[in-house]
Amino acid sequence: MAKFPDYIPPTKIAYLDGRPAEIHLRKCKFVIEQAGRRREKIFDQSVITIGAMDDNDFVVNEETVSRYHCKVLQDQDGYVLQDQSSTNGTFINRVRIREAYLKSGCTVQVGKVELKFYFADEKVPVVPSQKERLGLLIGRNVKVREIYGIIEKIAPAGTTVVIEGETGTGKEVVAQTIHQLSPRASGPMMIFDCGAVPENLIESELFGHEKGSFTGAIMTRQGLFEMAHGGTLFLDELGELNLDLQPKLLRALEQREIRRVGSSKPIKVDVRVIAATNRNLEEEVRSGRFRQDLFYRLSVVRILLPPLRERPEDIPLLVEHFLKTHTFNRGSDGKQRVEGIEREALDLLAGYRWPGNVRELVNVIERAVSFCEGQTIGVRDLPEQLRLAGASAGVEAATGEITFKEAKERWVSSFERDYIVALLKKNHGNISHAAREADIDRKYFRKLMRKYGVDAYATSDEGDGDDADE
C-alpha cells in the first residue's frame, strides 16, 4: 500500500530537555450535508467506524450506505481509510478505494453520500498544574504536577495511554484518575494483571469463552473486554503479555471487536484501553519480545511516572493522606489512632531511597501505626532498615568512610537546600523576595533551586509560587 507523502504527527507528548513541553493531539473532522442540514463531528480516537448502524462512530443513515461501511485508522503517518466490503463502495475524490491515506480537505464518498474530511490537530502546552491533588493522585512535585496537566488534557479524549514507571509508583492510580475524569466515568473500569494469570487462561480472561470450548469450560463466560464495554480496561504489566496473544489484542484495538474462545462470531466492544508496564517497551520491541505494531497502537500517549526518591517533598502529603484515609489507622470506634508524625521521622523518610516507591511507603506507615503507642509516629516506630539507612548516612561521615571534602560538600548541600526552602516558605514561594532577604542575586538563587530540585510552588503554604518580579 502506497503511503500518503504528508507525515501527520500522532498524538504524543513532545519533550524539551527531558521535560514535557507540549501535547500534540491528533484529531480529525468529518462534515456531511444531508437534507439541507450540515453535521460535523471531531474524532480523536485511533479507530473511527462509519456506517448506517447506530453503533458506528459516525452514523450515515442512507439506503446506499452499508451497515458497517468503512473505517478510518490512525497509524504513524496519518489516517488510513479502509472499505469494509461495502455493497456500493468507498471513494476518495471519486476514486474507488479498498485502502488509502486521507488528505485534509478530500471528499469521502460512502454509497451516494459525500463527506468532507479535515485534519483538526491541536497543540497544547504542558503547564504544571497548581493543584496538589488530581483525582486519586497526590503530590506537589513539579514532575507530578506536569502529569496532572497531561491527564487533564487527555482524559476527556479516547486516547490510548501507556503508563510507564518503576514498580509501586502508582500506575493503577493514574489509570483510575484518567477513567474518573473521562466521559466514561459512569461506565465500568476493569483491571487485568497480565503477569498474574497463567498464560493458558489469559485469552479466556480477556475475550471470554463459549461452553465446551476447552476442558473446564462448563458455561459461556464474558471476557474483560465485554465487561468493560462503555468504560475502561486497564492492562497492568503489559510487557508480560505472551507474543502469541499480542496479535489478538491488536485486532481488538483496531477492529473494536473480539471473538470468544471457541466462537467465530465477532462481538463489538466500545472500550478505552490504558496499559501499564515497568519494562522499557521500546527495548522489548528491539529484542523481539513485543510486537512493533501493537506498541505503536497502544503507546499513543506515554506517561512516565517519577520514582518516590525523586519527589521527597511529596512524602509529608502522602503520609498525611494515608493516616487520614486508610483503615489500618482506624480504631474500633472508627476514629484515627495516630494523628501525625514527628519531624525527625519525616526527615528519615525523605532521605530514604524507596526501592518499592509509594507502595513501600504505605507498608512502612501501616507498620509504624501498629507499633506506635502514642498519637504521633516517631523514629522508634519505623522499620529497622530505614533507621539503619539514616544512621549509616551520618556514620559514613563521622567514621571517615568518605573524605573530608565529600563530607563537607554533603553538609553544605544539605544546608543550602534547607536554607532556600525555609526562605521560600517564609516568603510564600516568592523567589524575588526570598533572594532579596538572603542578600544574593536572584539568578543565583534560581540556580540553587534547580540544583536541589526545589519548586517555588511546592514550598508555598498559600499555593502561590509566582515570582512578583516576573
Side-chain angles (χ1 to χ4, degrees):
M1 180 181 68
K3 290 191 175 183
F4 187 77
D6 290 349
Y7 173 70
I8 314 300
T11 294
K12 65 178 182 179
I13 303 170
Y15 287 82
L16 182 64
D17 296 330
R19 303 294 289 275
E22 68 177 16
I23 307 174
H24 176 268
L25 298 172
R26 185 196 276 184
K27 299 180 179 181
C28 68
K29 179 172 69 173
F30 277 99
V31 179
I32 182 175
E33 291 190 10
Q34 278 184 305
R37 186 169 67 92
R38 177 186 171 93
R39 180 163 59 99
E40 64 178 55
K41 191 172 181 180
I42 293 177
F43 298 95
D44 53 36
Q45 66 257 40
S46 57
V47 182
I48 305 161
T49 57
I50 301 172
M53 294 293 287
D54 290 341
D55 58 349
N56 283 286
D57 298 306
F58 198 72
V59 179
V60 183
N61 195 356
E62 205 270 345
E63 61 181 9
T64 62
V65 178
S66 297
R67 292 183 301 167
Y68 300 103
H69 198 102
C70 60
K71 66 181 178 181
V72 177
L73 302 175
Q74 285 191 28
D75 75 0
Q76 286 299 103
D77 300 300
Y79 293 93
V80 181
L81 179 66
Q82 292 181 349
D83 182 74
Q84 294 291 88
S85 301
S86 63
T87 302
N88 296 305
T90 302
F91 301 77
I92 297 178
N93 293 336
R94 302 192 181 280
V95 176
R96 186 165 184 168
I97 61 96
R98 181 176 296 170
E99 184 175 278
Y101 275 82
L102 291 166
K103 183 177 180 180
S104 188
C106 70
T107 300
V108 174
Q109 183 179 330
V110 290
K112 293 183 178 179
V113 180
E114 289 190 348
L115 316 172
K116 278 288 189 179
F117 171 84
Y118 299 97
F119 299 150
D121 293 25
E122 182 182 0
K123 290 185 178 180
V124 181
V126 175
V127 179
S129 172
Q130 296 300 298
K131 302 173 183 176
E132 290 186 350
R133 295 169 183 256
L134 182 71
L136 301 173
L137 297 170
I138 298 172
R140 57 169 60 133
N141 174 273
V142 66
K143 291 182 180 179
V144 174
R145 291 188 288 111
E146 285 169 346
I147 290 171
Y148 293 172
I150 293 169
I151 290 174
E152 288 175 327
K153 298 299 181 185
I154 66 170
T159 310
T160 304
V161 181
V162 170
I163 307 165
E164 299 174 285
E166 296 177 8
T167 298
T169 48
K171 296 185 284 293
E172 184 177 326
V173 178
V174 172
Q176 290 172 333
T177 298
I178 293 172
H179 174 72
Q180 287 181 0
L181 298 179
S182 76
R184 298 174 176 267
S186 60
M189 179 174 178
M190 306 305 297
I191 298 171
F192 180 72
D193 187 339
C194 299
V197 178
E199 287 185 3
N200 62 320
L201 295 179
I202 290 179
E203 184 176 1
S204 171
E205 288 290 320
L206 287 175
F207 308 121
H209 63 254
E210 296 292 340
K211 180 180 178 180
S213 56
F214 56 85
T215 304
I218 58 175
M219 64 179 67
T220 297
R221 183 177 182 274
Q222 284 188 330
L224 289 171
F225 266 94
E226 286 183 78
M227 296 166 69
H229 183 77
T232 302
L233 175 59
F234 175 57
L235 300 176
D236 199 8
E237 301 302 341
L238 178 69
E240 305 294 330
L241 191 64
N242 188 287
L243 263 175
D244 294 338
L245 286 172
Q246 291 178 21
K248 295 179 180 179
L249 176 58
L250 178 63
R251 176 182 174 82
L253 292 171
E254 289 189 338
Q255 306 291 334
R256 288 200 290 179
E257 64 182 32
I258 55 95
R259 288 186 175 91
R260 293 175 183 166
V261 177
S263 172
S264 59
K265 178 185 175 182
I267 300 172
K268 292 285 184 181
V269 289
D270 173 22
V271 175
R272 180 185 194 166
V273 173
I274 301 176
T277 180
N278 59 7
R279 294 191 183 189
N280 185 324
L281 287 186
E282 288 179 296
E283 179 58 39
E284 295 294 296
V285 169
R286 285 192 290 269
S287 63
R289 291 188 294 269
F290 202 85
R291 288 177 63 105
Q292 186 177 47
D293 48 5
L294 178 58
F295 170 73
Y296 285 133
R297 179 62 66 208
L298 282 167
S299 56
V300 177
V301 168
R302 297 164 68 187
I303 297 177
L304 178 61
L305 302 187
L308 186 57
R309 61 182 172 274
E310 293 181 7
R311 40 182 293 216
E313 65 269 41
D314 290 344
I315 290 178
L317 287 175
L318 292 167
V319 171
E320 179 186 12
H321 173 73
F322 299 153
L323 292 177
K324 284 184 177 179
T325 62
H326 283 233
T327 55
F328 61 69
N329 193 33
R330 298 285 172 186
S332 57
D333 58 358
K335 294 181 179 179
Q336 277 189 225
R337 292 177 52 204
V338 174
E339 296 295 329
I341 182 169
E342 295 175 3
R343 180 75 250 178
E344 293 80 3
L346 207 52
D347 289 342
L348 205 57
L349 296 180
Y352 185 59
R353 295 294 292 170
W354 297 109
N357 292 291
V358 179
R359 186 179 297 149
E360 183 182 6
L361 176 61
V362 174
N363 293 335
V364 165
I365 298 303
E366 181 175 3
R367 187 254 192 206
V369 167
S370 67
F371 275 78
C372 184
E373 296 180 352
Q375 291 191 323
T376 308
I377 294 172
V379 171
R380 63 191 174 279
D381 303 315
L382 298 179
E384 185 179 11
Q385 75 267 20
L386 263 82
R387 300 199 303 272
L388 290 176
S392 66
V395 170
E396 198 177 28
T399 58
E401 292 181 21
I402 57 175
T403 65
F404 171 78
K405 182 180 178 182
E406 290 172 328
K408 180 180 177 182
E409 286 177 351
R410 290 189 185 185
W411 185 88
V412 170
S413 295
S414 177
F415 164 77
E416 286 181 338
R417 189 186 189 283
D418 290 346
Y419 182 72
I420 63 175
V421 167
L423 277 178
L424 284 167
K425 284 184 176 180
K426 182 179 178 182
N427 289 279
H428 308 296
N430 190 298
I431 298 170
S432 296
H433 292 177
R436 195 176 300 123
E437 185 171 338
D439 196 24
I440 59 178
D441 183 74
R442 188 178 65 170
K443 290 183 178 178
Y444 181 65
F445 197 93
R446 283 185 175 280
K447 182 179 179 181
L448 288 174
M449 289 174 62
R450 287 193 296 271
K451 178 180 178 181
Y452 299 115
V454 175
D455 177 34
Y457 175 79
T459 61
S460 170
D461 294 331
E462 298 179 2
D464 179 12
D466 294 333
D467 195 332
D469 293 349
E470 294 183 339

